[in-house]
Amino acid sequence: MIKVLIVEDDPMVAQFNQKYIEEIEGFTVVAVAHSGHEALVKVNEYQVDLVLLDVFMPGQNGLKVLEEIRTKQEEIDVIFITAASDAQTIQQALRYGAIDYLIKPFTFERFYQALSAYKQTFRTLKQQPQLNQQELDGLLSNKKIKEARVEPLPKGLTTGTLEVIVEAIEHLKDHPFSTDDVAEKTGISRVSIRKYLKFLTDIGLLGERMTYGTIGRPVYAYLYNEQNRHLLHHYLVDFEK
């Protein structure tokens, strides 16, 4: 397993990134840090192969963290995940040895591609003590990125029904909503809707919390995370048109 440290000052974003990683075989999150200082502490505390690193953080920013990692000659790879899109920051990150750079907001497919390409490179270099030019060219040209694909919809879910449910959620997004709220707007059975809401929660489009009424069983309330709406693109190709 490739051991990952997430460095992100926003707890919700860190949680979404962790969910993304859990969807990709071969990776495990060993720790989460919410500041540059905490990241350096956890690098020493845990065995880490890959750091997912933000630039903008309180105190020590991500570039300084990477600089320190390189100064100490730690055998750790870094992928930046950040809103910093200026050329100077990107250039500095690459000069310090970042292997990839994702600009927020990014798609799950781009995230998947970055980690899949890294996994291929990581395993190749671990397993093969020597490479020929063709093998090395294949790694350096990131061919594996082009081959990576997002997983299809889970079995039993259809694009058409998903589109109907997402359209209903668009009208409910200003407040927490329940399975019953979506059923009322769509006419789809509650059993089916729960499956789709679970899927949307798993990919990070919805947040979920349990609420308790005065009587009866607890009810799940969902909250739409509009920042992650781009995650639907790969499942509803025509939805954005």
Side-chain angles (χ1 to χ4, degrees):
M1 296 290 281
I2 296 171
K3 300 174 180 64
V4 182
L5 168 65
I6 297 173
V7 185
E8 167 62 59
D9 66 319
D10 186 326
M12 181 172 289
V13 175
Q15 186 179 6
F16 284 135
N17 289 346
Q18 183 165 354
K19 276 190 175 182
Y20 290 164
I21 291 170
E22 289 169 353
E23 293 292 320
I24 304 173
E25 184 183 355
F27 293 86
T28 183
V29 176
V30 296
V32 177
H34 299 297
S35 70
H37 173 72
E38 187 182 1
L40 293 172
V41 170
K42 293 196 172 182
V43 161
N44 292 324
E45 186 178 350
Y46 295 89
Q47 183 182 347
V48 176
D49 300 309
L50 176 65
V51 177
L52 302 185
L53 185 59
D54 194 6
V55 170
F56 301 126
M57 290 183 294
Q60 201 167 19
N61 70 29
L63 291 173
K64 290 294 184 183
V65 171
L66 178 53
E67 184 180 4
E68 184 112 3
I69 288 172
R70 293 291 171 254
T71 299
K72 293 182 177 180
Q73 298 184 337
E74 302 277 4
E75 294 184 358
I76 294 173
D77 297 310
V78 170
I79 294 176
F80 275 93
I81 299 180
T82 178
S85 59
D86 61 287
Q88 184 177 0
T89 297
I90 295 170
Q91 188 176 47
Q92 193 171 356
L94 296 176
R95 282 174 175 167
Y96 284 161
I99 61 170
D100 208 338
Y101 197 104
L102 277 63
I103 299 173
K104 299 175 182 177
F106 54 89
T107 64
F108 176 71
E109 182 175 21
R110 180 63 180 88
F111 184 90
Y112 183 89
Q113 289 170 348
L115 268 68
S116 294
Y118 174 74
K119 180 170 65 175
Q120 179 63 32
T121 302
F122 180 88
R123 287 181 173 174
T124 299
L125 296 177
K126 286 282 186 183
Q127 294 168 3
Q128 294 183 223
Q130 199 166 11
L131 278 73
N132 61 37
Q133 189 64 56
Q134 184 178 3
E135 291 168 333
L136 180 58
D137 289 345
L139 292 178
L140 295 180
S141 63
N142 283 333
K143 288 180 181 178
K144 293 298 176 181
I145 283 183
K146 298 174 185 177
E147 296 170 4
R149 293 292 182 270
V150 172
E151 292 296 317
L153 282 172
K155 187 177 179 180
L157 305 191
T158 67
T159 300
T161 303
L162 180 61
E163 183 172 349
V164 171
I165 288 174
V166 169
E167 190 172 353
I169 289 172
E170 288 283 340
H171 292 93
L172 298 167
K173 64 183 181 181
D174 293 333
H175 304 284
F177 57 89
S178 67
T179 303
D180 288 348
D181 294 327
V182 180
E184 186 177 338
K185 280 197 170 291
T186 62
I188 299 171
S189 73
R190 291 170 178 78
V191 173
S192 293
I193 288 172
R194 286 191 198 101
K195 294 177 183 177
Y196 286 88
L197 294 183
K198 181 183 183 305
F199 165 71
L200 294 173
T201 301
D202 288 343
I203 69 169
L205 184 73
L206 299 179
E208 180 187 66
R209 71 183 184 210
M210 190 180 293
T211 61
Y212 293 87
T214 54
I215 57 173
R217 293 181 296 178
V219 175
Y220 284 101
Y222 299 90
L223 192 62
Y224 184 75
N225 185 2
E226 193 159 8
Q227 184 181 0
N228 284 349
R229 192 176 189 277
H230 61 275
L231 297 172
L232 288 171
H233 172 71
H234 307 288
Y235 302 101
L236 302 176
V237 177
D238 298 324
F239 188 75
E240 303 288 342
K241 295 180 181 178

